[in-house]
Amino acid sequence: MGFLTPNRGALGGTKIPLSIIVLVLCGFMFFVLLYTERISLMSSSSSNFLRSKSCPRKNISSKPSKRTPNLKTLFLPYFCIFFLSCDASNISEEKVREERSEKMDVLDDRFEFDPEECNVAAGKWVYNSSAEPLYTDESCPYIDRQFSCMKNGRPETDYLRWEWQPDDCTIPRFNPKLAMNKLRGKRLLFVGDSLQRSQWESFVCLVESIIPEGEKSMKRSKKYFVFKAKEYNASIEFYWAPFIVESNTDLPVILDMKKRVVKVDSVEDRSKYWEGADILVFNTYVWWMSGLRMKALWGSFGNGERGAEALDTPVAYRLGLKTWANWVDSTVDSNKTKVFFTTMSPTHTRSADWGKPNGTKCFNETEPVKDKRFWGTGSNKQMMKVVSSVVKHMATHVTVINITQLSEYRIDAHTSVYTETGGKVLTAEQRADPMGNADCIHWCLPGLPDTWNRILLAHL
């Protein structure tokens, strides 16, 4: 009897690990599922409940699949998850990836953005080292050399990797196929100055790579540029109108700002190009900021400057926008056409605004401003109030997209000395004089205007 005591003690002190028990139970249930029709029906009816135990969606990428998961795949991982708190999640992860389609992922992201609830102006720029633009100034043939910073010699690329993150929502990533499907059979027209032209070029470059070479075309005239995608029967267009209303300096440009005159009561010579567009995106600001007063004219340019009256710039701006608003209200069918107005694009010519009194405008800036309260002298709040007031009193619904605050922070994203002047790229000597030659008005492409278009597409 004595020799049996140690054996009984050994058996009595042995503990079977929980993982072994779970594996045995999982194996048993697997056997039952394979051979018991009743259990298979039960698992089918309870699949929705079991799916609710899965790990969060954000950890699951999308791949299209038409295959239906068998009972082993459907039930066993969730049974293990119930006991091991997702320790067995890797068993089903690949299958779940296959079940989710790319289309549903896009739709899910779209539902997260509500233009009525999302304040895109409030947020911060987040650095993403893995972010890559959808195009480059080498891959897209439609970028003006003026905006081609990398091609013009900009040595660093960090400015391409900052992503705008609103405080209370998520802006869907720009999806070229989604964009072109939205534009199928439609005309998208941007109207404004060179900043608006850069947004147009950005939009074209964001989508052009998915369109076969023989299915796209570009036509440019002095004022009117048209990119066509034949496969989608769509066009993405730009019309040069720096004041929106008529002026004597649209083309050719009058360099002497004192001689510029704005015809604040007419869009007649240009609006024929705007009619029939399905989506209109307007912007005007920088050209109005040539001084405290602006020469405004009613009637014909026949008498030159003699009939013009000098008005405070916000007053002239209001008169011009009212003329634009009257055209929209009297001409645009809001059931067929969506109208957008993007707010002012800020300039950064005074480095003291962001705490660098000894700096040289935006030259050599490599990061956005972090202070959420930052507002530079290059943006005029009084002019923004004019836009808000005019749009508020319009009969036609106009969506105002506020790009100003998010762009205010991007002192690093301007073309600076990596641009051209007079049709020629700046020389080394010219770059050595950033005070005289750095462009702190326009933006690099790819760059900030891509974010503007990301927001625009979300609104579509």
Side-chain angles (χ1 to χ4, degrees), residues 422-456:
K424 296 181 179 180
V425 176
L426 296 186
T427 64
E429 291 77 16
Q430 288 172 318
R431 290 180 187 174
D433 178 23
M435 183 58 73
N437 294 305
D439 180 352
C440 299
I441 296 175
H442 298 96
W443 310 94
C444 295
L445 287 181
L448 178 62
D450 300 333
T451 297
W452 301 348
N453 282 322
R454 185 176 172 185
I455 296 170
L456 173 62

Side-chain angles (χ1 to χ4, degrees), residues 404-425:
T404 306
Q405 185 63 74
L406 67 91
S407 303
E408 271 285 4
Y409 305 126
R410 294 307 305 274
I411 58 176
D412 61 313
H414 289 288
T415 55
S416 185
V417 295
Y418 306 104
T419 185
E420 66 174 12
T421 180
K424 296 181 179 180
V425 176

Side-chain angles (χ1 to χ4, degrees), residues 187-193 223-224 237-246 250 266-284 320-321 323-328 331-333 337-339 341:
R187 288 178 60 205
L188 166 60
L189 175 61
F190 294 87
V191 180
D193 56 19
K223 292 185 177 182
Y224 186 42
E237 309 171 14
F238 169 74
Y239 187 87
W240 169 259
F243 294 99
I244 293 186
V245 292
E246 297 175 23
D250 285 4
S266 179
V267 293
E268 185 177 354
D269 73 338
R270 57 206 58 206
S271 59
K272 61 184 178 182
Y273 294 94
W274 311 344
E275 294 176 8
D278 300 279
I279 304 165
L280 286 163
V281 187
F282 293 94
N283 170 263
T284 182
L321 286 186
T323 298
W324 161 78
N326 289 337
W327 177 84
V328 172
T331 308
V332 171
D333 182 352
T337 302
K338 292 182 178 181
V339 183
F341 193 100

Side-chain angles (χ1 to χ4, degrees), residues 322-389:
K322 280 188 173 181
T323 298
W324 161 78
N326 289 337
W327 177 84
V328 172
D329 283 342
S330 64
T331 308
V332 171
D333 182 352
S334 58
N335 293 319
K336 298 180 179 179
T337 302
K338 292 182 178 181
V339 183
F340 296 89
F341 193 100
T342 54
T343 60
M344 67 185 74
S345 172
T347 63
H348 295 108
T349 59
R350 187 174 178 270
S351 59
D353 288 350
W354 54 91
K356 293 184 178 180
N358 297 321
T360 308
K361 302 196 288 187
C362 66
F363 176 66
N364 264 356
E365 296 295 348
T366 58
E367 291 187 352
V369 173
K370 300 296 196 303
D371 184 1
K372 280 194 171 187
R373 299 166 298 174
F374 176 73
W375 185 276
T377 54
S379 299
N380 189 307
K381 290 187 177 181
Q382 187 176 2
M383 299 287 273
M384 284 194 74
K385 290 179 180 178
V386 171
V387 173
S388 177
S389 174

Side-chain angles (χ1 to χ4, degrees), residues 42-85:
M42 289 173 61
S43 70
S44 174
S45 66
S46 62
S47 62
N48 287 336
F49 167 77
L50 295 172
R51 285 191 180 95
S52 69
K53 298 282 186 180
S54 63
C55 294
R57 184 181 72 86
K58 65 181 180 180
N59 293 328
I60 301 173
S61 61
S62 324
K63 289 184 181 179
S65 174
K66 294 182 179 179
R67 292 183 298 172
T68 302
N70 58 33
L71 294 175
K72 292 180 290 183
T73 303
L74 184 64
F75 186 89
L76 183 57
Y78 293 106
F79 182 82
C80 296
I81 287 171
F82 179 79
F83 286 95
L84 301 177
S85 300

Side-chain angles (χ1 to χ4, degrees), residues 158-179:
D158 279 354
Y159 70 96
L160 297 172
R161 295 181 172 83
W162 292 94
E163 298 182 335
W164 180 245
Q165 178 58 61
D167 291 335
D168 55 1
C169 59
T170 299
I171 305 172
R173 293 191 178 280
F174 193 98
N175 185 313
K177 289 185 178 180
L178 175 65

Side-chain angles (χ1 to χ4, degrees), residues 63-130:
K63 289 184 181 179
S65 174
K66 294 182 179 179
R67 292 183 298 172
T68 302
N70 58 33
L71 294 175
K72 292 180 290 183
T73 303
L74 184 64
F75 186 89
L76 183 57
Y78 293 106
F79 182 82
C80 296
I81 287 171
F82 179 79
F83 286 95
L84 301 177
S85 300
C86 281
D87 285 344
S89 61
N90 288 335
I91 299 174
S92 60
E93 185 175 0
E94 290 301 321
K95 296 295 183 182
V96 176
R97 283 197 183 107
E98 292 177 358
E99 290 172 21
R100 298 269 189 182
S101 71
E102 182 176 355
K103 179 178 178 182
M104 287 305 297
D105 184 58
V106 171
L107 288 174
D108 287 347
D109 286 343
R110 299 285 304 158
F111 286 132
E112 292 173 7
F113 181 83
D114 183 351
E116 300 298 324
E117 298 292 334
C118 179
N119 178 14
V120 297
K124 62 183 178 181
W125 287 97
V126 178
Y127 186 78
N128 180 358
S129 60
S130 63

